[in-house]
Amino acid sequence: MALEVEWYDLVCLAIVGGALIGALWVLWKNEGTSQMDETLLVGGAYNGVVNVSTSQLWSSCCHGVHPLWLLATRFLSFAIMALLLPIDLLAYDATIFVYYTEWTFTLVMVYFALGTIVSAYGCWQLLNKPPLENGEMAEFLRRDSEESTSTNTMVYKEKETKGSIKFQSQYVEEDFNQRAGFWGYLMQITYQTSAGAVVLTDVVFWCVIVPFLSISHFELNMLMGCMHTLNAVFLLLDTLLNNLPFPWFRVAYFVLWSCGYIIFQWVIHACGFTWWPYPFLELNTPWAPLWYFCLAIIHIPCYGMYSLIVKAKNTILPQLFPRAFLRSY
């Protein structure tokens, strides 16, 4: 039986395809195809937006908060979420993963798993091998001097021109901390994608689905309430403590994540899946393009809402703890 394709199906395809291409273009312009390989190695985005050292991945934004607290927060968040997910699967079945909620919940859990591993490694490094001991500093200065003379003349001249002990000390400390590698980069984009996805998931669930839409397959219960609440609570608590940046252009990863989910829905329906987990994703209505356009636009305020939370943290905490707070960019 041939699939019937209506004009509004093509419009929805164009909307999702446009969002997909637009997200890739934003990433190409801000992280760049030629710079991506180096970004994966050093863990930062360029053009002055994100430049993350290893310590930022596992240290707190406040001097007085030991990194072990952040480790404990991430581990407990992961443990509780890892307990809830199998319970959800047992209560229903594997078809629960047709819901965007499960995708987002799993993504947040992956972030906390990565965060736990990175934090554990950072705390181990902090407790067992202080990064700036005198002998290591002297060796680094000697090696840096030799390498700068032969391979990085411009940086050497800049240091020579600036010339102050303070500048040299800052340069050494920044370069001595090995920048974040592939796992650090993956951890960052998982965090930033999770932030937008959590806002979208919880806002749509509590503000649209629960009050206005009836879902015949499920009834609201304590488990569903936890699944649509704890993801945000844990992520906000981590945001309060962590020292990770939140660049605007990584909303593109959030868009790619949602596009992947929609494409997944199209594929399983093309293969014979009969019902839509969310009525506003249905394609068999002339109103579908309007719904899809609204879904595309809503990604901006959802990501922007979390960005405002991060900015509020960076504004309020320095006023409350002026000598302890480390601002993240």
Side-chain angles (χ1 to χ4, degrees):
M1 180 178 170
L3 293 175
E4 295 184 3
V5 179
E6 302 288 348
W7 65 268
Y8 39 81
D9 297 330
L10 298 177
V11 175
C12 292
L13 178 62
I15 292 172
V16 174
L20 192 67
I21 294 172
L24 292 174
W25 181 82
V26 168
L27 292 176
W28 179 78
K29 292 293 290 183
N30 289 276
E31 291 189 328
T33 54
S34 61
Q35 298 169 339
M36 185 66 75
D37 291 338
E38 190 175 357
T39 302
L40 293 176
L41 292 175
V42 302
Y46 288 78
N47 300 332
V49 181
V50 183
N51 194 16
V52 180
S53 68
T54 301
S55 62
Q56 277 185 270
L57 298 174
W58 50 266
S59 61
S60 173
C61 61
C62 292
H63 280 300
V65 179
H66 197 279
L68 284 173
W69 286 104
L70 184 57
L71 169 61
T73 300
R74 287 172 171 173
F75 174 73
L76 288 176
S77 299
F78 168 73
I80 294 172
M81 297 183 79
L83 178 64
L84 282 176
L85 190 59
I87 293 175
D88 201 31
L89 285 170
L90 290 174
Y92 304 103
D93 53 46
T95 59
I96 194 73
F97 277 97
V98 300
Y99 287 93
Y100 189 80
T101 295
E102 304 300 319
W103 283 46
T104 300
F105 195 87
T106 303
L107 182 67
V108 177
M109 190 174 70
V110 169
Y111 163 69
F112 282 121
L114 291 171
T116 298
I117 294 170
V118 171
S119 287
Y121 174 75
C123 290
W124 177 85
Q125 221 178 18
L126 181 67
L127 295 173
N128 293 279
K129 190 179 179 181
L132 292 177
E133 292 179 350
N134 293 333
E136 293 175 326
M137 178 66 75
E139 174 63 20
F140 175 77
L141 286 172
R142 182 189 63 78
R143 189 170 63 249
D144 177 70
S145 178
E146 293 174 355
E147 292 175 355
S148 296
T149 303
S150 59
T151 62
N152 203 350
T153 311
M154 292 182 65
V155 175
Y156 178 82
K157 288 182 177 179
E158 182 184 4
K159 289 189 293 179
E160 190 177 39
T161 301
K162 298 287 183 179
S164 67
I165 296 176
K166 181 179 180 181
F167 177 85
Q168 183 72 11
S169 175
Q170 290 175 346
Y171 172 83
V172 168
E173 187 171 354
E174 290 173 4
D175 278 15
F176 190 86
N177 287 327
Q178 183 184 15
R179 291 185 182 184
F182 171 79
W183 294 109
Y185 180 81
L186 181 62
M187 176 182 161
Q188 289 180 71
I189 63 174
T190 304
Y191 166 64
Q192 290 139 5
T193 304
S194 296
V198 161
V199 174
L200 177 60
T201 299
D202 292 1
V203 167
V204 169
F205 181 80
W206 292 110
C207 299
V208 178
I209 293 178
V210 171
F212 299 112
L213 300 178
S214 60
I215 304 177
S216 58
H217 296 80
F218 296 98
E219 294 181 359
L220 182 61
N221 54 37
M222 181 66 70
L223 179 59
M224 291 182 65
C226 289
M227 296 288 288
H228 291 86
T229 304
L230 292 180
N231 54 4
V233 171
F234 291 153
L235 201 62
L236 287 170
L237 182 60
D238 185 87
T239 299
L240 181 65
L241 293 174
N242 73 36
N243 195 26
L244 295 176
F246 204 83
W248 70 268
F249 68 86
R250 285 185 178 160
V251 66
Y253 288 109
F254 173 33
V255 173
L256 291 177
W257 176 257
S258 296
C259 287
Y261 173 77
I262 291 174
I263 293 171
F264 165 75
Q265 287 293 326
W266 289 351
V267 170
I268 63 175
H269 278 81
C271 294
F273 201 74
T274 56
W275 57 274
W276 293 88
Y278 303 103
F280 43 78
L281 291 181
E282 292 186 21
L283 290 173
N284 58 345
T285 170
W287 291 100
L290 178 61
W291 280 111
Y292 274 77
F293 179 75
C294 291
L295 285 174
I297 296 299
I298 202 174
H299 282 70
I300 298 175
C302 285
Y303 192 85
M305 187 182 303
Y306 210 94
S307 179
L308 288 176
I309 292 173
V310 176
K311 289 183 178 179
K313 180 191 82 168
N314 289 332
T315 301
I316 296 173
L317 290 186
Q319 297 177 359
L320 297 177
F321 310 101
R323 297 185 179 180
F325 185 76
L326 294 174
R327 187 182 301 274
S328 59
Y329 294 93

